[in-house]
Amino acid sequence: MIKGELASTFVVLLVFIALYLYCIYRAVRGKPPMIRKVPGLDAMEEAIGRAVEMGRPIYYSTGVGSLDGGDMPMTMAGMTLLGYSASLAASRGAELRYIAAVPQLVPIAEDMLRTAYRDAYKPEQITFVPSQVALMSTIVGTYEREKPAANFLLGALYWETVVIAEAGARAGAMQVGGTGRLYQVPFVVALCDYSLIGEELLAAGAYVSREPSQLGSILASDIIRFITIALIIIYVIGSLFGVDASTILRF
Amino acid sequence: MSEKGGLIEVLGRNYRQVIWIGVLILCFLPAFVPLGIPISIDKLTIKAYKCIEELEPGDLVLVSPDFTPGMWVEVGPAMNAIMQHLFMKKVRIVIVSFYIDGPVLAEKILREIDIGDAKYGVDYVNLGYLPGMETAMAAFVENPRRIEYDYYGTPVEELEIMKDVKSIGDFKLYIFACVTWPDPWIRQFSGKVPKIITVISPAAISLVMPYVSGGQLYSMLPGTKGGAEYEALMKRPGVATSIMDATSLCLTFVMLLVIVGNISYWRKRLRGE
Amino acid sequence: MSWVRRREIPLLIFAITFIIGCFGYYIEHPAMGKIYSTLFDWVLLMSNLALGTGLIAMTLYHGKKIAKREKGYEMSFVVFGALILMFVSCYASPASREYLYAKIYTPASIAILCFTGFSEISGLYRAFRVRSVEAFFLALAGFILLMHFAPVYGFFIPGVEKVASWLLDNPAMGASRGIVIGVAIGTIAIAIRVLLGYEKAYTG
């Protein structure tokens, strides 16, 4: 019934799913795990305060990452943080604007900004551009003209990162960037004032919402990560002694 | 302030204008004065070349030009070189695109290379665009005959080349060009076709390397640089080779600027500014 | 709340497609294979429909902009003009369509890309500023890779290619694998949270 070559991965997947379900159940039942401080996320509040003082807008972008495949977790984390920063900005009286390059994200962002700003919401707060190139050129022009006080660049970022972060730096904006996409991480670190690297971004939703289910899934992810590291170490030690330890997972 | 110090200060302050003017000059210069800067050939380009060289005439090869026209300079010239080689080897080529611009870019490639006496529908076919990205790839892998009409609206049953395409396993090689996250193509096609070669933006190399060493990808061509290397192997210098002159000059300029910028930054820092 | 706005509906669609997609991949059974294949047909059909929906949405958006004389409405005329021109050329003459695509759209796209390239280079200049020890290593690795991508250095300094290959094959690849594993784990986490109805970001 189960395809022979995929049996072991199927079993591993089921074990991981069970672990997630257990950790989420445990957290929801009142034992949520603790999560360490993430300076990049605390800096968002500071950046919003700066925008209020300066009377200039905050710009937010999730890059060109969509809601599918490997981009999905990062984009979802980016959208969660959009909701968080929008409600924070709305409560302090700052204007947050979102530039989207993925059509599916527009209605989600609209809903989030509408919820945050209520009657103060303006449709111009969301700009949709149809491609990566258009996103980059729109941002370069807009930042040059409007000189935003803060620039949030959080999501599955592609090579628009350098252009957007450079435009933000030139405009003098306080920048918070974050992605899990490897080859953009160095640019986020080098160009932004605060950065969220890899798992920090994925944990952001849990960090800002403190929702037990999210905290529970982070605990499960960490346990799986430790299991993976242990397997890698076993494999490396096995290889040193001429033993193919990868057979552990072949059945 | 010394003359040298003054220059560095100016560069440090007005770096944007200096960079832009410099890049503009260095991009245009090789177009008027070809420099013929020599290039070295990467082992992966040689591997890709040998893979195509070993194909037999009549073998089926699947090609996906999945990028946008704006990215033509990044991967287009390399695709031209590789497609030229495929036509020279007289293999049969099936083109399918998972990006909306793919079919038109395929036409552009076919127009720009020498296809010899290859006949449409017999030696090559353009199946057009299949929407849905990764899901579309999975659907195509599950059944390549799912597409009923080619790019020009001809039913695929009427195309001779498609008579031999019963399943994805009929293809000897899959070549895809993309400029972003290559995982969807690798996830869906790896293990289904014997060999996969990608033409990819140099920025994505570190993402592709684990797949090359893991065997999911047979080889890769890093953008125009890979194209220039491929043209050198084919002994047919083309667009990619000419772009390499400008690339070498611009990258050298960037390196110089980084050094100058750092000197300016550290001078200021040491002075306590 | 209207039933079409209820969150349970997208959740249910996600759950069904997730289970079919997941089990269809692992399980070999004629019935499952048929469901799996049918699901693909549906997705392809919906992707095609989405293109049509996009056209309608775009027409409504720009139509409204012109009707209300909103800021930049003149550009909406350009959008409609280009749309009609491309549509007519597709059916009237394939040669003119090729011309519009190859001689106007492609160079325009490349030009915009090149324009952003200038910003990218000045961004690199800023990114490679050695402010700390980490930044020094980033700049050093970046330098070696820049030499790797400027083929002239590989020809005159053979060691550069070796060092660049080592950087790409070892540290970069190790980090790549770590990120790939991390993202894979994160994807499972998100899928389960969506399945259980805890993750709501995608429904707004």
Side-chain angles (χ1 to χ4, degrees), chain C residues 61-75:
Chain C
Y61 175 78
H62 286 284
K64 221 187 283 174
K65 215 169 170 181
I66 292 172
K68 290 184 178 172
R69 293 282 189 275
E70 282 176 22
K71 193 180 157 197
Y73 76 95
E74 301 87 346
M75 289 300 132

mmCIF file of all heavy atoms in Angstrom, chain C residues 61-75:
data_model
loop_
_atom_site.group_PDB
_atom_site.id
_atom_site.type_symbol
_atom_site.label_atom_id
_atom_site.label_comp_id
_atom_site.label_asym_id
_atom_site.label_seq_id
_atom_site.Cartn_x
_atom_site.Cartn_y
_atom_site.Cartn_z
ATOM 1 N N TYR C 61 -10.419 47.382 -11.256
ATOM 2 C CA TYR C 61 -9.554 48.312 -10.508
ATOM 3 C C TYR C 61 -9.236 49.557 -11.333
ATOM 4 O O TYR C 61 -9.417 50.687 -10.883
ATOM 5 C CB TYR C 61 -8.269 47.582 -10.097
ATOM 6 C CG TYR C 61 -7.250 48.463 -9.435
ATOM 7 C CD1 TYR C 61 -7.391 48.833 -8.109
ATOM 8 C CD2 TYR C 61 -6.141 48.935 -10.145
ATOM 9 C CE1 TYR C 61 -6.459 49.646 -7.498
ATOM 10 C CE2 TYR C 61 -5.206 49.760 -9.543
ATOM 11 C CZ TYR C 61 -5.357 50.112 -8.218
ATOM 12 O OH TYR C 61 -4.445 50.922 -7.617
ATOM 13 N N HIS C 62 -8.775 49.311 -12.566
ATOM 14 C CA HIS C 62 -8.372 50.459 -13.393
ATOM 15 C C HIS C 62 -9.592 51.233 -13.906
ATOM 16 O O HIS C 62 -9.529 52.451 -14.077
ATOM 17 C CB HIS C 62 -7.477 49.998 -14.537
ATOM 18 C CG HIS C 62 -6.102 49.638 -14.076
ATOM 19 N ND1 HIS C 62 -5.166 50.575 -13.752
ATOM 20 C CD2 HIS C 62 -5.538 48.434 -13.834
ATOM 21 C CE1 HIS C 62 -4.059 49.979 -13.338
ATOM 22 N NE2 HIS C 62 -4.268 48.670 -13.373
ATOM 23 N N GLY C 63 -10.693 50.507 -14.146
ATOM 24 C CA GLY C 63 -11.932 51.163 -14.576
ATOM 25 C C GLY C 63 -12.400 52.141 -13.503
ATOM 26 O O GLY C 63 -12.764 53.280 -13.790
ATOM 27 N N LYS C 64 -12.357 51.666 -12.256
ATOM 28 C CA LYS C 64 -12.788 52.509 -11.134
ATOM 29 C C LYS C 64 -11.879 53.742 -11.006
ATOM 30 O O LYS C 64 -12.331 54.848 -10.749
ATOM 31 C CB LYS C 64 -12.714 51.675 -9.847
ATOM 32 C CG LYS C 64 -13.895 51.915 -8.910
ATOM 33 C CD LYS C 64 -13.719 51.234 -7.602
ATOM 34 C CE LYS C 64 -13.984 49.753 -7.611
ATOM 35 N NZ LYS C 64 -13.675 49.090 -6.328
ATOM 36 N N LYS C 65 -10.601 53.494 -11.216
ATOM 37 C CA LYS C 65 -9.612 54.570 -11.097
ATOM 38 C C LYS C 65 -9.889 55.667 -12.126
ATOM 39 O O LYS C 65 -9.827 56.866 -11.815
ATOM 40 C CB LYS C 65 -8.215 53.976 -11.332
ATOM 41 C CG LYS C 65 -7.155 54.617 -10.499
ATOM 42 C CD LYS C 65 -5.883 53.845 -10.556
ATOM 43 C CE LYS C 65 -4.798 54.660 -9.910
ATOM 44 N NZ LYS C 65 -3.514 54.023 -9.930
ATOM 45 N N ILE C 66 -10.224 55.242 -13.353
ATOM 46 C CA ILE C 66 -10.514 56.220 -14.411
ATOM 47 C C ILE C 66 -11.830 56.943 -14.099
ATOM 48 O O ILE C 66 -11.919 58.168 -14.205
ATOM 49 C CB ILE C 66 -10.575 55.522 -15.790
ATOM 50 C CG1 ILE C 66 -9.172 55.025 -16.181
ATOM 51 C CG2 ILE C 66 -11.118 56.466 -16.862
ATOM 52 C CD1 ILE C 66 -9.124 54.167 -17.421
ATOM 53 N N ALA C 67 -12.833 56.151 -13.681
ATOM 54 C CA ALA C 67 -14.154 56.742 -13.407
ATOM 55 C C ALA C 67 -14.072 57.801 -12.317
ATOM 56 O O ALA C 67 -14.718 58.853 -12.402
ATOM 57 C CB ALA C 67 -15.130 55.645 -13.015
ATOM 58 N N LYS C 68 -13.249 57.550 -11.306
ATOM 59 C CA LYS C 68 -13.150 58.491 -10.181
ATOM 60 C C LYS C 68 -12.046 59.515 -10.371
ATOM 61 O O LYS C 68 -11.806 60.340 -9.476
ATOM 62 C CB LYS C 68 -12.904 57.718 -8.882
ATOM 63 C CG LYS C 68 -14.110 56.922 -8.422
ATOM 64 C CD LYS C 68 -13.805 56.274 -7.087
ATOM 65 C CE LYS C 68 -15.001 55.510 -6.575
ATOM 66 N NZ LYS C 68 -14.695 54.723 -5.394
ATOM 67 N N ARG C 69 -11.365 59.434 -11.522
ATOM 68 C CA ARG C 69 -10.241 60.348 -11.816
ATOM 69 C C ARG C 69 -9.242 60.377 -10.657
ATOM 70 O O ARG C 69 -8.813 61.445 -10.196
ATOM 71 C CB ARG C 69 -10.744 61.786 -12.079
ATOM 72 C CG ARG C 69 -11.567 61.933 -13.347
ATOM 73 C CD ARG C 69 -10.647 61.973 -14.575
ATOM 74 N NE ARG C 69 -11.346 62.317 -15.796
ATOM 75 C CZ ARG C 69 -12.000 61.449 -16.561
ATOM 76 N NH1 ARG C 69 -12.081 60.167 -16.221
ATOM 77 N NH2 ARG C 69 -12.564 61.838 -17.681
ATOM 78 N N GLU C 70 -8.904 59.173 -10.152
ATOM 79 C CA GLU C 70 -7.961 59.096 -9.029
ATOM 80 C C GLU C 70 -6.552 59.472 -9.489
ATOM 81 O O GLU C 70 -6.267 59.471 -10.685
ATOM 82 C CB GLU C 70 -7.948 57.671 -8.461
ATOM 83 C CG GLU C 70 -9.138 57.377 -7.580
ATOM 84 C CD GLU C 70 -9.167 55.936 -7.113
ATOM 85 O OE1 GLU C 70 -8.108 55.288 -7.101
ATOM 86 O OE2 GLU C 70 -10.268 55.467 -6.778
ATOM 87 N N LYS C 71 -5.681 59.703 -8.521
ATOM 88 C CA LYS C 71 -4.299 60.093 -8.833
ATOM 89 C C LYS C 71 -3.645 59.043 -9.751
ATOM 90 O O LYS C 71 -3.695 57.841 -9.447
ATOM 91 C CB LYS C 71 -3.525 60.188 -7.511
ATOM 92 C CG LYS C 71 -2.188 60.869 -7.629
ATOM 93 C CD LYS C 71 -1.517 60.898 -6.267
ATOM 94 C CE LYS C 71 -0.026 61.032 -6.396
ATOM 95 N NZ LYS C 71 0.670 60.675 -5.191
ATOM 96 N N GLY C 72 -3.075 59.493 -10.826
ATOM 97 C CA GLY C 72 -2.387 58.588 -11.755
ATOM 98 C C GLY C 72 -3.328 57.817 -12.669
ATOM 99 O O GLY C 72 -2.943 56.798 -13.241
ATOM 100 N N TYR C 73 -4.579 58.312 -12.830
ATOM 101 C CA TYR C 73 -5.551 57.580 -13.647
ATOM 102 C C TYR C 73 -5.133 57.500 -15.116
ATOM 103 O O TYR C 73 -5.532 56.585 -15.830
ATOM 104 C CB TYR C 73 -6.951 58.198 -13.505
ATOM 105 C CG TYR C 73 -7.147 59.488 -14.278
ATOM 106 C CD1 TYR C 73 -7.709 59.476 -15.548
ATOM 107 C CD2 TYR C 73 -6.756 60.699 -13.741
ATOM 108 C CE1 TYR C 73 -7.864 60.654 -16.266
ATOM 109 C CE2 TYR C 73 -6.913 61.875 -14.440
ATOM 110 C CZ TYR C 73 -7.467 61.851 -15.706
ATOM 111 O OH TYR C 73 -7.610 63.008 -16.410
ATOM 112 N N GLU C 74 -4.297 58.443 -15.540
ATOM 113 C CA GLU C 74 -3.853 58.450 -16.940
ATOM 114 C C GLU C 74 -3.147 57.138 -17.279
ATOM 115 O O GLU C 74 -3.260 56.613 -18.386
ATOM 116 C CB GLU C 74 -2.877 59.609 -17.213
ATOM 117 C CG GLU C 74 -3.425 61.000 -16.937
ATOM 118 C CD GLU C 74 -3.231 61.439 -15.489
ATOM 119 O OE1 GLU C 74 -2.912 60.594 -14.649
ATOM 120 O OE2 GLU C 74 -3.426 62.638 -15.209
ATOM 121 N N MET C 75 -2.414 56.617 -16.305
ATOM 122 C CA MET C 75 -1.662 55.368 -16.523
ATOM 123 C C MET C 75 -2.606 54.176 -16.742
ATOM 124 O O MET C 75 -2.251 53.210 -17.398
ATOM 125 C CB MET C 75 -0.743 55.081 -15.327
ATOM 126 C CG MET C 75 0.427 56.011 -15.226
ATOM 127 S SD MET C 75 1.451 55.899 -16.695
ATOM 128 C CE MET C 75 1.672 57.616 -17.078
#
